[in-house]
Amino acid sequence: MKVLLLSTRFWLALTSLFIGSASVAYSQNPYVTNQAGKDHFLLSASGKSTSLLVSSQDYPGVIRAAKNLQADIKLVTQTEPAFITDKITNQKTIVIAGTLGKSPLINQLVQSHKLDVAALKGKWEMFQTQIITNPFPNVTQALVIVGSDKRGTIYGIYDLSAQIGVSPWYWWADVPVAQKKELYVLPGVHSAGEPKVKYRGIFINDEAPALSGWVKEKFGDFNHAFYEKVFELILRQKGNYLWPAMWGHAFYDDDPLNPKLADEYGVVIGTSHHEPLMRAHDEWRRYGSGKWNYQTNEAKLKDFWKSSIQRMGTNESIVSIGMRGDGDEPMTEGTAIALLEKIVADQRQIIQDLTGKQPAATPQLWALYKEVQDYYDKGMRVPDDVTLLLCDDNWGNIRKLPKLTDKPRSGGYGIYYHFDYVGGPRNYKWLNTNPIARVWEQMHLAYQYKANQIWIVNVGDIKPMEFPISFFLDYAWNPDQLPAEQLEQYTQRWAEKQFGSKYAREIASILDRYTRYNGRRKPELLSPATYSLTHYHEAENIVTAYNSLAAEAEKIYNSLPAQYKDAYYQLVMHPVKACANLNDLYVTVAKNHLYASQGRAITNKLADQAKELFTKDAEISAYYNKTLAGGKWSHMMDQTHIGYTYWQQPPRDSMPAVKTIEVPVTSEMGIAIDGSDTWWPQAKEEAVLPAYTQNSSLVPYIDVFNRGQSAFMYSVSSPVSWLSFSSAKGTVTDQQRINLQVNWSKVPAGLQRIPITVTGPANSKVVVQAVIDNTPKVGKGFSDSNGYISIEAEHYSKAIGTDSTWKKIPTLGRTLSGVTPFPVTALSQSPEANSPHLEYMIQTKSAGEVKIHAYLSPTLNFTAGQGLRYAISVDDEEPQIINIHKEETNHKWEQWVANNINIQVSSHQLTRPGEHVIKFWMVDPGIVLQKLVVDTGGLQSSYLGPPESSQALK
């Protein structure tokens, strides 16, 4: 037995003398295989795993992570490696993990020129993993994981865990570990480089009733046993920062082991934007005296803060400075900037007095949250070493970014972002409603505008935000490695890491679609009036799409091995199933209301169906809470989400109001048609269906419904042979939908108006006019039909740009994708001949005025200028410059974020029918176009706008 030790003092002397290094290529590609090969390192094979070696002098967090690696290897291979500290006994091969300058084992390898660490020196949180030969006497081969600092080593260890197949979500989402008998590490130097964002973390917030109920049942309180699970989750995803739960809880005060273990694990602790100097909000309730008012209670507030800075000690922290009102409220109206600047100066003096160091030696942030940004805009400033934490609007839209011309700050800039929120216009806490494409677009803006010191995101209860948390932390590590073009691949890779490769593509598609569907409108904002029942088949298409998605998800669930089902239910099946049911509920209630006004016999059945869907919602939550994973996640789906009457959550879910009617015994036929909410024969106007063209995605329909209890016979006829029906005759008990069927090869050219006769009981008749448009298309472009032309942004005919280009962001948008000018740091410019613009070819049926509705992401005026602008024109007219933030009000903002769209309308005069070109011009970067809708005289109201029009290609 030979003990290998080297003093840290000796190491420091040696590193100052170490000269030269070979260039190293870094790769994030897979470096673990189950195949033996030349120069491969055997991690586990033939029922034996290679021992792990660390130094007892290394950081406790490193030793803890190495022990987790030991457990991970056992999970994967069913063979536990030996865990050795400081000394090697009869080991031919060994895995060594250690921190540069801290581990004597690593120091000795560097001193003996066995390990080249030149690329790590002076780096932040960087690691490298590589195979070396003959590291020590009698040891022929070693796999060395070395970090530039504590977290660098920890990340290297957990990176190997991920490489062998252990998901960061193995505990938090019950992701199983695929069994492997053999594990080999490939030769080469493996590293993820340095993180591009220095501090990357999550904020546990709005934690009642779900997380708080679960924690109380499983852990007793927000104590160290709970937080150890959180710390590990953050570190496994290469995060390093946490704002702990704070509503009724206090991280330091609830359990003294909380901060101690955070520091040991290597997680930086902060407090939220309204909790200065490491004091939790609830601690003022517990220990404060007097009002939370610096003007009248300065001495007691100072004492309150002094004790928390003293308590913080040397724990790695970022100290929030400044002051808001008590309980996440604004300061009193008229608060003077001079007072706020005094508060900051006094707080920094406390930091200096209690730490014995200059204030700049303690990382600090000032969060420009809500009204605090107004103080900044009016001239308030803090010292240069303080990080300015810029914020979104609580709905995922960044409010402010540094100007590209601003002088760099030593403290830099950061971003506070939201996946969860309590406040107006409505809480959203229940499920994940955050498409990663939108997160990418906003955080890409932040990164390009140099807000890269801190990224922290409000994740509510942690669950069910697993997927966007992974994306947020992965993207923060290196935004350069994840361009928009790779977003779909990212989702597929994430799915593969949780569930294996067999269904990864299908699962990724489900993840993309359900987050887009949920992102259209938060579930808490849904109502029976959200989607149109009468226009563009919108409400029914929403339900069909959701139910189809649920069926896809269910099919995969039924095909997965048993060990994957709990994880799949949490990460995929539950949000799809729950939201499909919720949308079905609201649309069913909407139909119930409409049908009651029409006297349809099916009205009462729909009332019962809605009640069943409401009950099913509770059953879905109950399964998650009580049955899933043996009840492990009890209370996690306690969040109320049905029955909002204003912004705050209801105390309990409540059934939406439904209507019942008295249905006569005698049958009576009623007719309803596509595009109208009235019914015949009651209505006096003519019943006319929307025009039907050959390539239309919307097939016109007629509803034949019963207004009585007795069934009746019906028949449908037309005078032309080329127009038929999905059901030409039959019996109606409740109602029957009849779709038009057209043999287009037999339809005469031009516009045809065909009477359809529906005959019912007692020879009652209703005539419905079908409009069949078989006008030959001349030229190219999207066609005018039913008084509108609808175009998805990515379907432009030409993109013009020299200094700037156009970038498609896949799945960003309520219906397809988004398109935005690139780079996002481009200078503003006036529209002229060849300046950046998109061209869309259209065909109109007539001349005259048209209105173009531009559907834009609800991006805010982050430049603090006059507002973001685009220009739009038709053909060669002078472009109209549209300021999307002109006359912005709080009411308008509430509409934008609730609808997740900002629709701007411009008017244009067409001098002739036929082919035209719409030109969408870049003026300012940052605008994201999702869709264009041209109202040529018949645009109807709907939530998403009409579906895309058909396009003539020649």
Side-chain angles (χ1 to χ4, degrees):
M1 178 171 63
K2 187 170 184 178
V3 179
L4 301 172
L5 292 172
L6 190 65
S7 73
T8 300
R9 183 186 302 172
F10 184 49
W11 152 249
L12 292 173
L14 284 169
T15 52
S16 66
L17 298 173
F18 191 85
I19 301 172
S21 66
S23 62
V24 178
Y26 293 102
S27 171
Q28 288 187 300
N29 294 326
Y31 56 84
V32 173
T33 178
N34 59 2
Q35 299 292 325
K38 183 181 178 182
D39 298 326
H40 290 191
F41 181 86
L42 187 154
L43 195 59
S44 186
S46 304
K48 184 178 180 181
S49 295
T50 301
S51 300
L52 308 179
L53 173 66
V54 298
S55 168
S56 60
Q57 296 181 39
D58 213 326
Y59 296 101
V62 169
I63 296 171
R64 193 185 302 271
K67 288 183 177 178
N68 284 343
L69 176 61
Q70 178 190 32
D72 291 346
I73 293 172
K74 182 180 179 181
L75 277 175
V76 174
T77 66
Q78 300 303 302
T79 305
E80 184 176 65
F83 191 88
I84 305 169
T85 54
D86 298 327
K87 55 189 178 181
I88 302 173
T89 309
N90 301 322
Q91 306 289 328
K92 293 295 183 182
T93 61
I94 196 79
V95 178
I96 305 168
T99 307
L100 189 60
K102 183 69 172 176
S103 167
L105 297 166
I106 296 299
N107 299 349
Q108 185 163 340
L109 292 174
V110 174
Q111 183 268 337
S112 62
H113 299 278
K114 299 290 187 179
L115 183 64
D116 182 353
V117 293
L120 294 179
K121 291 181 183 178
K123 301 297 185 181
W124 174 263
E125 299 181 341
M126 187 172 171
F127 69 87
Q128 64 185 43
T129 299
Q130 65 186 99
I131 302 165
I132 62 175
T133 57
N134 304 313
F136 302 120
N138 302 319
V139 179
T140 59
Q141 194 182 43
L143 178 68
V144 181
I145 304 168
V146 55
S148 63
D149 52 25
K150 174 171 65 176
R151 278 189 294 273
T153 310
I154 292 169
Y155 294 154
I157 292 168
Y158 284 137
D159 194 69
L160 182 58
S161 287
Q163 288 278 334
I164 67 175
V166 179
S167 167
W169 297 101
Y170 79 96
W171 190 87
W172 277 97
D174 303 301
V175 175
V177 175
Q179 301 298 297
K180 301 170 186 176
K181 293 183 178 180
E182 297 189 350
L183 297 172
Y184 297 89
V185 177
L186 300 177
V189 178
H190 311 291
S191 177
E194 270 192 301
K196 296 298 179 71
V197 177
K198 188 169 185 178
Y199 295 103
R200 310 162 304 281
I202 63 174
F203 176 21
I204 302 171
N205 192 223
D206 309 324
E207 56 268 17
L211 183 67
S212 59
W214 175 75
V215 167
K216 184 175 181 179
E217 178 178 313
K218 304 299 182 181
F219 297 95
D221 199 358
F222 283 80
N223 54 33
H224 72 278
F226 162 74
Y227 276 113
E228 284 192 272
K229 299 295 186 184
V230 177
F231 300 154
E232 183 185 333
L233 175 69
I234 291 171
L235 292 168
R236 281 183 182 268
Q237 298 187 100
K238 297 187 177 69
N240 61 8
Y241 186 37
L242 173 68
W243 286 357
M246 48 72 58
W247 287 111
H249 309 290
F251 183 76
Y252 269 83
D253 199 52
D254 289 342
D255 185 347
L257 286 177
N258 284 345
K260 179 179 184 297
L261 288 174
D263 200 57
E264 285 188 8
Y265 269 86
V267 174
V268 182
I269 296 298
T271 50
S272 72
H273 54 85
H274 64 100
E275 299 176 297
L277 271 66
M278 302 302 292
R279 271 292 199 181
H281 166 257
D282 201 56
E283 290 187 87
W284 184 251
R285 179 186 63 82
R286 299 177 190 184
Y287 308 117
S289 175
K291 291 186 176 181
W292 182 265
N293 186 314
Y294 203 73
Q295 282 180 301
T296 61
N297 205 15
E298 176 181 331
K300 290 179 179 177
L301 280 164
K302 280 183 175 180
D303 289 341
F304 181 68
W305 291 333
K306 285 176 182 178
S307 62
S308 58
I309 294 299
Q310 186 170 26
R311 179 181 64 183
M312 177 186 75
T314 60
N315 292 340
E316 197 173 3
S317 310
I318 302 177
V319 178
S320 297
I321 63 171
M323 189 175 182
R324 298 187 68 221
D326 193 13
D328 197 10
E329 294 295 328
M331 294 284 274
T332 55
E333 188 174 353
T335 299
I337 288 176
L339 173 62
L340 293 171
E341 289 177 336
K342 171 178 167 50
I343 291 170
V344 169
D346 291 350
Q347 289 172 338
R348 284 169 63 84
Q349 188 63 51
I350 290 172
I351 293 170
Q352 179 174 326
D353 292 345
L354 272 297
T355 64
K357 301 175 183 178
Q358 288 297 312
T362 300
Q364 298 155 62
L365 67 81
W366 182 40
L368 304 188
Y369 184 71
K370 289 189 175 178
E371 82 288 346
V372 181
Q373 181 177 311
D374 297 336
Y375 299 131
Y376 180 84
D377 290 341
K378 292 174 182 176
M380 180 176 169
R381 293 295 182 265
V382 294
D384 197 62
D385 60 272
V386 177
T387 301
L388 294 185
L389 189 67
L390 308 171
C391 304
D392 70 355
D393 61 352
N394 304 303
W395 289 75
N397 308 296
I398 292 175
R399 296 178 66 203
K400 188 180 191 66
L401 288 171
K403 293 180 180 179
L404 296 171
T405 56
D406 283 352
K407 180 182 177 181
R409 298 173 52 82
S410 60
Y413 299 86
I415 296 293
Y416 170 38
Y417 202 73
H418 284 75
F419 292 159
D420 168 287
Y421 179 57
V422 168
R426 187 67 55 85
N427 292 1
Y428 62 96
K429 300 171 59 180
W430 179 43
L431 293 176
N432 174 27
T433 58
N434 305 281
I436 65 167
R438 178 61 171 163
V439 180
W440 181 93
E441 185 265 331
Q442 286 291 288
M443 299 314 294
H444 174 77
L445 277 175
Y447 179 63
Q448 293 298 322
Y449 280 78
K450 309 302 181 186
N452 56 9
Q453 184 75 0
I454 299 171
W455 284 9
I456 188 161
V457 59
N458 187 326
V459 299
D461 302 319
I462 300 178
K463 299 178 71 65
M465 302 299 173
E466 298 94 342
F467 178 46
I469 288 172
S470 287
F471 176 78
F472 188 87
L473 294 177
D474 284 344
Y475 189 61
W477 183 268
N478 190 350
D480 294 327
Q481 289 195 341
L482 188 49
E485 294 83 356
Q486 292 185 19
L487 286 172
E488 291 171 306
Q489 294 99 306
Y490 174 87
T491 305
Q492 185 172 332
R493 289 195 301 269
W494 191 86
E496 184 174 350
K497 288 175 183 177
Q498 319 312 317
F499 307 110
S501 60
K502 185 173 182 180
Y503 300 107
R505 185 183 298 274
E506 292 86 348
I507 292 171
S509 176
I510 293 170
L511 289 171
D512 279 338
R513 281 179 286 162
Y514 103 70
T515 51
R516 182 200 298 163
Y517 294 171
N518 279 359
R520 288 169 172 166
R521 192 169 185 86
K522 310 291 188 186
E524 292 87 345
L525 277 160
L526 289 172
S527 76
T530 299
Y531 298 111
S532 174
L533 283 177
T534 53
H535 300 139
Y536 313 125
H537 306 188
E538 183 176 63
E540 292 179 354
N541 285 344
I542 290 291
V543 171
T544 298
Y546 255 121
N547 287 340
S548 175
L549 192 64
E552 289 180 49
E554 189 92 44
K555 182 178 179 181
I556 294 173
Y557 177 85
N558 292 332
S559 301
L560 285 171
Q563 66 267 30
Y564 286 96
K565 289 185 183 293
D566 283 347
Y568 182 81
Y569 190 87
Q570 292 166 63
L571 299 176
V572 183
M573 188 75 232
H574 174 262
V576 174
K577 187 175 184 179
C579 282
N581 183 78
L582 187 68
N583 278 266
D584 199 353
L585 167 62
Y586 280 116
V587 171
T588 300
V589 171
K591 287 181 177 179
N592 165 263
H593 292 178
L594 175 63
Y595 293 178
S597 71
Q598 298 173 340
R600 297 199 196 192
I602 201 172
T603 297
N604 298 343
K605 288 185 179 180
L606 287 178
D608 292 338
Q609 183 181 332
K611 293 173 185 177
E612 291 170 2
L613 290 167
F614 179 75
T615 300
K616 184 179 177 182
D617 176 271
E619 291 170 349
I620 292 170
S621 295
Y623 175 83
Y624 196 113
N625 284 337
K626 298 177 181 179
T627 304
L628 176 68
K632 178 179 177 180
W633 303 112
S634 175
H635 296 290
M636 274 295 188
M637 282 301 133
D638 282 357
Q639 180 60 54
T640 55
H641 49 277
I642 306 175
Y644 276 81
T645 57
Y646 69 120
W647 67 266
Q648 183 59 284
Q649 66 192 33
R652 64 190 62 83
D653 290 327
S654 57
M655 171 69 195
V658 292
K659 297 181 179 181
T660 57
I661 61 174
E662 292 293 331
V663 181
V665 174
T666 306
S667 62
E668 178 187 351
M669 182 179 75
I671 299 294
I673 64 171
D674 188 4
S676 175
D677 59 5
T678 189
W679 66 280
W680 287 264
Q682 183 191 54
K684 302 307 179 185
E685 68 266 25
E686 193 174 25
V688 183
L689 287 166
Y692 188 27
T693 59
Q694 185 169 358
N695 296 316
S696 174
S697 61
L698 300 178
V699 178
Y701 64 82
I702 300 169
D703 279 347
V704 181
F705 60 85
N706 198 345
R707 288 169 48 84
Q709 298 180 35
S710 304
F712 65 83
M713 302 290 290
Y714 76 93
S715 63
V716 189
S717 62
S718 82
V720 295
S721 61
W722 47 261
L723 177 60
S724 58
F725 310 98
S726 59
S727 177
K729 60 181 179 179
T731 302
V732 172
T733 302
D734 293 320
Q735 62 185 21
Q736 176 66 48
R737 174 154 295 183
I738 300 164
N739 293 315
L740 271 59
Q741 297 177 333
V742 175
N743 182 350
W744 291 99
S745 65
K746 302 295 185 181
V747 179
L751 191 67
Q752 315 296 321
R753 188 178 170 103
I754 308 298
I756 299 168
T757 302
V758 184
T759 304
N763 205 35
S764 58
K765 297 181 185 293
V766 173
V767 176
V768 177
Q769 298 293 329
V771 180
I772 309 299
D773 188 353
N774 197 30
T775 304
K777 302 295 188 297
V778 179
K780 298 179 180 180
F782 290 89
S783 301
D784 182 0
S785 181
N786 288 304
Y788 71 86
I789 303 169
S790 180
I791 312 168
E792 293 290 348
E794 70 172 71
H795 293 155
Y796 51 83
S797 53
K798 188 183 294 186
I800 308 295
T802 51
D803 296 334
S804 297
T805 58
W806 294 89
K807 176 81 70 175
K808 182 181 87 169
I809 306 177
T811 72
L812 193 163
R814 301 194 307 175
T815 50
L816 188 59
S817 296
V819 179
T820 190
F822 252 54
V824 294
T825 54
L827 297 176
S828 300
Q829 52 192 285
S830 299
E832 52 188 38
N834 290 315
S835 65
H837 64 276
L838 299 171
E839 294 186 356
Y840 297 87
M841 299 193 71
I842 62 170
Q843 293 188 44
T844 62
K845 293 180 177 179
S846 61
E849 184 184 62
V850 299
K851 295 183 182 298
I852 300 180
H853 298 239
Y855 287 60
L856 309 166
S857 293
T859 306
L860 299 183
N861 182 17
F862 62 86
T863 63
Q866 59 183 303
L868 299 182
R869 300 161 298 163
Y870 70 93
I872 194 159
S873 60
V874 179
D875 298 331
D876 295 325
E877 72 174 347
E878 183 76 17
Q880 300 179 38
I881 295 180
I882 310 295
N883 185 335
I884 72 172
H885 300 115
K886 184 178 181 181
E887 298 176 357
E888 179 181 345
T889 63
N890 187 67
H891 177 68
K892 283 186 178 180
W893 169 81
E894 287 189 339
Q895 288 182 317
W896 295 343
V897 297
N899 298 333
N900 200 17
I901 206 75
N902 177 346
I903 302 176
Q904 297 289 321
V905 183
S906 55
S907 297
H908 307 262
Q909 197 70 31
L910 304 185
T911 59
R912 54 177 172 76
E915 193 173 284
H916 299 276
V917 179
I918 297 174
K919 298 176 183 179
F920 184 89
W921 303 82
M922 172 200 165
V923 177
D924 295 317
I927 284 181
V928 181
L929 176 66
Q930 297 185 14
K931 184 174 184 173
L932 290 173
V933 176
V934 184
D935 182 2
T936 60
L939 182 65
Q940 302 295 325
S941 62
S942 64
Y943 185 74
L944 297 175
E948 190 166 43
S949 301
S950 61
Q951 183 177 188
L953 300 177
K954 62 179 183 178

